Amino acid sequence: MILTAAAFGLLVGALLGLVGGGGSILAVPALVYGVGLPLAAAIPTSLVVVGASSAVAVLPRLRTGVNWRLALIIGAAGTATAYLGAAVNRLLDPKILLLAFAAIMVFAGIRMLMPSKTAGGSCALPGGGVHWRSCLPKAIATGAVVGFLTGLLGVGGGFLIVPALTLVLGLPMALTVGTSLVIIVINSAAGFAAHLADLQIDWAVTAAFAIAAMAASLAAGRIGTRIPDKTLKRGFAVLVLAIAAYVAIQALLS
């Protein structure tokens, strides 16, 4: 289990380092179907792994920029709703959660295959400023939705944050990746705290997964700046859709 966890950790960390998200969309299925953990243990484990590897992955991105104010606003908005998501998680059947997870993965994969619009808007004015009167409500709403899904499904939210920052808030990709990673750290910490009341976790598996993911995220973060964004997005979208199909089939057959 530890060797398998470390192998999947390399993949999860590489995705986080390359595109600023997507690690958690793979971590939960990898822990459930690859490592063999029950869903109740896979969710908090994924939050630890994704949060730790995102904190490491943001280091190579500090020079390209992080919008710290937006990151803190979105992260704070998501902290409250993460507890609500965790409460709903305890009321639903694991099969329903996995099917919901697969549906969200399909949406994310299809959206990433669609052409991206030009960055801009109230949160990223042409001169580099922010029009907070119109940007702030969008940022709070984005944080609330992502935070709820973090608590509900055990995801750091990067696969939703990246398109939200670029399409809804209009941030350029150079700021999106670093800002997304900071938000993932905040959301993962809040989501993990929300699960402390009934925590089920194998710390040996978690440590192996997290250490491998952190090492891969640091290396991939440096490599990612040299790979075209379009290539990364398309490859990741195809991978997400394939995993969504696998998760859905396993949930229906289990």
Side-chain angles (χ1 to χ4, degrees):
M1 286 181 65
I2 292 177
L3 290 176
T4 304
F8 281 114
L10 293 174
L11 177 60
V12 168
L15 280 173
L16 283 167
L18 287 172
V19 298
S24 53
I25 208 172
L26 297 178
V28 172
L31 288 166
V32 172
Y33 300 117
V35 181
L37 294 183
L39 185 62
I43 288 177
T45 299
S46 73
L47 291 169
V48 172
V49 171
V50 172
S53 51
S54 296
V56 173
V58 78
L59 297 178
R61 302 282 182 177
L62 290 178
R63 292 182 181 178
T64 60
V66 174
N67 191 319
W68 292 100
R69 190 174 297 180
L70 273 179
L72 293 174
I73 291 171
I74 295 172
T79 299
T81 54
Y83 284 87
L84 177 61
V88 175
N89 168 276
R90 300 184 186 101
L91 302 176
L92 296 179
D93 184 86
K95 181 182 291 187
I96 295 175
L97 288 176
L98 289 172
L99 287 174
F101 196 38
I104 294 171
M105 289 168 73
V106 170
F107 171 80
I110 293 174
R111 189 63 192 88
M112 291 185 75
L113 286 174
M114 296 172 64
S116 299
K117 298 178 182 179
T118 303
S122 56
C123 295
L125 298 175
V130 176
H131 188 269
W132 286 107
R133 182 173 294 181
S134 57
C135 174
L136 187 60
K138 295 179 183 178
I140 293 174
T142 298
V145 172
V146 172
F148 177 80
L149 292 174
T150 298
L152 178 67
L153 301 172
V155 299
F159 75 103
L160 291 176
I161 294 170
V162 171
L165 291 178
T166 55
L167 300 171
V168 179
L169 303 186
L171 293 187
M173 201 63 190
L175 280 177
T176 292
V177 175
T179 305
S180 171
L181 290 168
V182 174
I183 297 169
I184 291 170
V185 173
I186 298 172
N187 282 348
S188 296
F192 182 77
H195 285 276
L196 286 177
D198 56 348
L199 185 62
Q200 300 180 39
I201 195 165
D202 185 325
W203 287 108
V205 170
T206 303
F209 205 123
I211 292 171
M214 286 187 288
S217 66
L218 184 60
R222 293 172 177 169
I223 296 171
T225 56
R226 298 192 291 269
I227 301 176
D229 291 338
K230 186 179 292 186
T231 302
L232 289 174
K233 287 182 179 179
R234 286 180 178 175
F236 178 60
V238 172
L239 180 61
V240 165
L241 291 172
I243 294 174
Y246 180 78
V247 170
I249 291 171
Q250 289 294 326
L252 290 172
L253 295 179
S254 62

